[in-house]
């Protein structure tokens, strides 16, 4: 009888173990035994820049406990992945839904973090009604400016003195440096950017205001952004900084390109923030971070569904080391480095630019464990916390 009981317990334990393993998909390479609280990213870089992450609702409500521990121990700034975008906060005319955004801001306040608002004026995740007038015709310039001002006043005003910095205009440029033909540009004209900054400044004069975009390491696009900054400053517009999204690949852009980009914006008199950092390790025909580029998956494009091979894991760690070496070279000019997500499990890179893949773009794996890339970034820090 005792032997039977023993066998029953052993087989039950095995079954539980197998189930647990098959649920934790995909298996991770042997997790490094680094403690996530000692040292932390925010302490390691405290004399250089803030370090943060974009959070989803499960993260800022504490529902995801592994992530919660990482966020509180590692980061001193947060960005809202989606809850402050127009479609989420202002879904229909006159209807503002602040409930999730309020929780996000409260989370930042409780944890004494520098709180970012993302974003006010963008071509994506903005409802169609914003650009429609009577009978479905495009709205007039005057009315669209009015709607833009109302939105910015309501949202920035709601968090006046609580949200510390805003991505005022997101992704206004094409790859060749010309202005993107968004509905904002088509209806208002190219002064829509200046207007958005003026409305934001009016709503919270103390808030930092940023222009945010991807691929600014491309020379033509960077020239366009530098020209934009020059014009805004010449008109006396309050622009604090430029956000380099830095949704990068293992080999694009080069650190020389990033270095030159930071230097150029610094010369134009604005601060630089790395606002949406992640490193795509999967094959792709594009390195664009344009959300409108989103193709269906194919097994050839998803080579690591069951875990990242060690060689790629090491390449990722090396890439992160190179990136942070470049950012830290510009301590003080670069004031913040924010990852676009906390762990690989929830990263948008699992679905962009190709849907339904298993990607590994961040410093923490799917089980909320630090990866070799985390160690690499900590080791590089200019000064370790005492
Ligand atoms: C992404 C979010 O991560 C996704 O959850 C959402 O479905 C689409 O947008 N550039 C930006 C971010 O400025 O707002 C985008 O975030 C990623 C690219």
């Amino acid at each position: 009888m005792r032997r039977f009981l023993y066998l029953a317990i052993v087989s039950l334990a095995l079954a539980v173990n197998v189930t647990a393993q098959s649920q934790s998909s995909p298996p991770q390479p042997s997790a490094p035994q680094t403690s996530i609280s000692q040292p932390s990213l925010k302490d390691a870089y405290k004399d250089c820049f803030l370090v943060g992450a974009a959070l989803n609702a499960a993260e800022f409500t504490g529902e995801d406990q592994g992530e919660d521990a990482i966020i509180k121990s590692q980061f001193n700034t947060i960005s809202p992945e989606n809850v402050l975008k127009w479609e989420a906060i202002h879904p229909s005319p006159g209807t503002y839904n602040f409930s999730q955004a309020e929780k996000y801001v409260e989370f930042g306040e409780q944890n004494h973090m520098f709180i970012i608002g993302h974003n006010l004026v963008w071509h994506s995740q903005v409802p169609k009604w914003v650009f429609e007038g009577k009978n479905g015709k495009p709205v007039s310039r005057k009315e669209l400016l009015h709607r833009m001002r109302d939105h910015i006043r309501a949202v920035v005003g709601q968090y006046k003195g609580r949200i510390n910095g805003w991505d005022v205009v997101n992704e206004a440029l094409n790859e060749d440096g010309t202005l993107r033909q968004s509905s904002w540009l088509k209806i208002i004209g190219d002064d829509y950017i200046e207007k958005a900054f003026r409305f934001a400044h009016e709503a919270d004069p103390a808030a930092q205001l940023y222009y945010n975009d991807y691929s600014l390491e491309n020379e033509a696009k960077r020239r366009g952004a530098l020209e934009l900054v020059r014009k805004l400053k010449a008109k006396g517009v309050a622009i604090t900084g430029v956000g380099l999204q830095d949704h990068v690949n293992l080999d694009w852009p080069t650190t020389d390109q990033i270095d030159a980009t930071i230097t150029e914006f610094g010369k134009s008199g604005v601060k630089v923030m790395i606002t949406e950092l992640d490193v795509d390790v999967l094959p792709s025909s594009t390195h664009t971070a344009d959300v409108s580029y989103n193709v269906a998956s194919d097994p050839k494009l998803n080579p690591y569904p069951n875990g990242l091979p060690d060689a790629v894991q090491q390449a990722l760690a090396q890439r992160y080391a190179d990136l942070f070496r470049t950012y830290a070279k510009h301590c003080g000019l670069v004031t913040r480095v924010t990852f676009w997500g906390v762990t690989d499990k929830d990263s948008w890179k699992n679905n962009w630019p190709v849907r339904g893949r298993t990607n590994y773009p961040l410093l923490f794996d799917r089980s909320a464990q630090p990866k070799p890339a985390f160690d690499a970034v900590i080791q590089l820090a200019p000064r370790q916390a005492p």
Side-chain angles (χ1 to χ4, degrees):
M1 180 65 192
R2 278 177 65 180
R3 185 175 158 72
F4 171 76
L5 210 61
Y6 171 78
L7 283 174
I9 289 169
V10 168
S11 32
L12 191 68
L14 280 174
V16 167
N17 196 24
V18 166
T19 317
Q21 276 180 12
S22 60
Q23 279 173 351
S24 62
S25 66
Q28 292 299 316
S30 52
Q33 292 310 303
T34 314
S35 147
I36 56 166
S37 55
Q38 196 58 263
S40 69
L41 296 165
K42 65 181 177 189
D43 287 341
Y45 286 88
K46 73 177 193 311
D47 294 332
C48 214
F49 40 66
L50 300 171
V51 185
L55 308 186
N56 61 36
E59 288 163 345
F60 60 71
T61 56
E63 196 181 306
D64 277 349
Q65 290 180 5
E67 281 78 354
D68 190 63
I70 294 173
I71 298 160
K72 289 176 178 163
S73 65
Q74 299 297 320
F75 302 125
N76 48 19
T77 174
I78 51 170
S79 298
E81 186 176 8
N82 286 301
V83 295
L84 268 108
K85 290 173 179 171
W86 194 311
E87 68 177 12
I89 210 158
H90 189 182
S92 52
T95 306
Y96 287 91
N97 176 6
F98 290 120
S99 58
Q100 291 291 76
E102 186 57 38
K103 289 182 194 152
Y104 161 77
V105 174
E106 276 170 12
F107 179 87
E109 287 176 334
Q110 278 158 11
N111 294 292
H112 314 289
M113 292 163 160
F114 190 87
I115 305 172
I116 300 296
H118 172 84
N119 55 57
L120 297 170
V121 173
W122 191 23
H123 63 275
S124 185
Q125 295 182 271
V126 53
K128 276 206 190 84
W129 64 260
V130 174
F131 307 107
E132 281 172 4
K134 292 202 177 80
N135 314 318
K137 292 213 180 96
V139 72
S140 68
R141 164 181 157 95
K142 195 170 165 218
E143 176 59 19
L144 187 55
L145 277 170
H146 187 75
R147 290 179 188 178
M148 184 204 265
R149 186 182 206 165
D150 271 0
H151 177 81
I152 292 178
R153 273 188 174 176
V155 179
V156 175
Q158 177 79 9
Y159 299 109
K160 185 176 178 184
R162 300 176 71 198
I163 287 190
N164 309 103
W166 282 97
D167 288 335
V168 178
V169 176
N170 201 35
E171 305 180 349
L173 293 163
N174 293 315
E175 291 308 290
D176 65 1
T178 58
L179 288 178
R180 183 192 286 268
Q181 289 294 311
S182 66
S183 299
W184 296 109
L185 181 77
K186 285 191 219 156
I187 298 171
I188 297 177
D190 58 11
D191 61 341
Y192 85 88
I193 300 174
E194 172 192 338
K195 297 281 188 202
F197 274 86
R198 291 199 191 281
F199 298 155
H201 188 57
E202 198 176 80
D204 186 353
Q208 297 191 356
L209 305 180
Y210 319 124
Y211 174 71
N212 191 52
D213 213 332
Y214 59 87
S215 295
L216 292 177
E217 292 81 3
N218 270 350
E219 214 178 315
K221 191 167 186 177
R222 185 198 315 162
R223 264 189 268 113
L226 285 163
E227 183 56 12
L228 183 65
V229 170
R230 193 192 61 74
K231 282 187 183 152
L232 290 173
K233 287 185 94 63
K235 288 180 175 167
V237 172
I239 174 170
T240 320
V242 166
L244 312 183
Q245 291 186 3
D246 276 7
H247 295 293
V248 303
N249 293 67
L250 280 173
D251 56 3
W252 186 92
T254 64
T255 44
D256 281 351
Q257 284 173 299
I258 297 175
D259 193 5
T261 307
I262 296 171
T263 303
E264 289 293 308
F265 283 112
K267 281 191 209 151
S268 78
V270 286
K271 295 289 183 195
V272 177
M273 284 124 229
I274 311 304
T275 54
E276 306 189 13
L277 178 61
D278 45 31
V279 179
D280 193 334
V281 300
L282 300 182
S284 179
S285 55
T286 175
H287 60 236
T288 184
D290 194 332
V291 286
S292 59
Y293 186 91
N294 189 227
V295 299
S297 193
D298 153 354
K300 283 200 291 300
L301 296 176
N302 191 24
Y304 318 126
N306 301 314
L308 197 59
D310 200 49
V312 190
Q313 189 77 268
Q314 296 312 321
L316 180 69
Q318 184 59 52
R319 176 63 161 156
Y320 263 114
D322 294 343
L323 289 169
F324 272 76
R325 189 178 299 108
T326 311
Y327 302 150
K329 194 177 150 189
H330 298 279
C331 265
L333 167 56
V334 171
T335 57
R336 169 168 64 94
V337 177
T338 297
F339 294 89
W340 203 246
V342 179
T343 72
D344 290 342
K345 172 169 68 76
D346 294 321
S347 165
W348 80 303
K349 294 305 301 185
N350 294 307
N351 287 299
W352 263 274
V354 179
R355 291 190 289 279
R357 298 194 297 177
T358 308
N359 213 334
Y360 302 83
L362 297 166
L363 299 189
F364 297 91
D365 69 20
R366 286 174 163 70
S367 325
Q369 292 303 308
K371 294 155 60 171
F374 172 86
D375 299 336
V377 170
I378 289 283
Q379 274 157 26
L380 250 193
R383 218 186 88 192
Q384 299 278 328

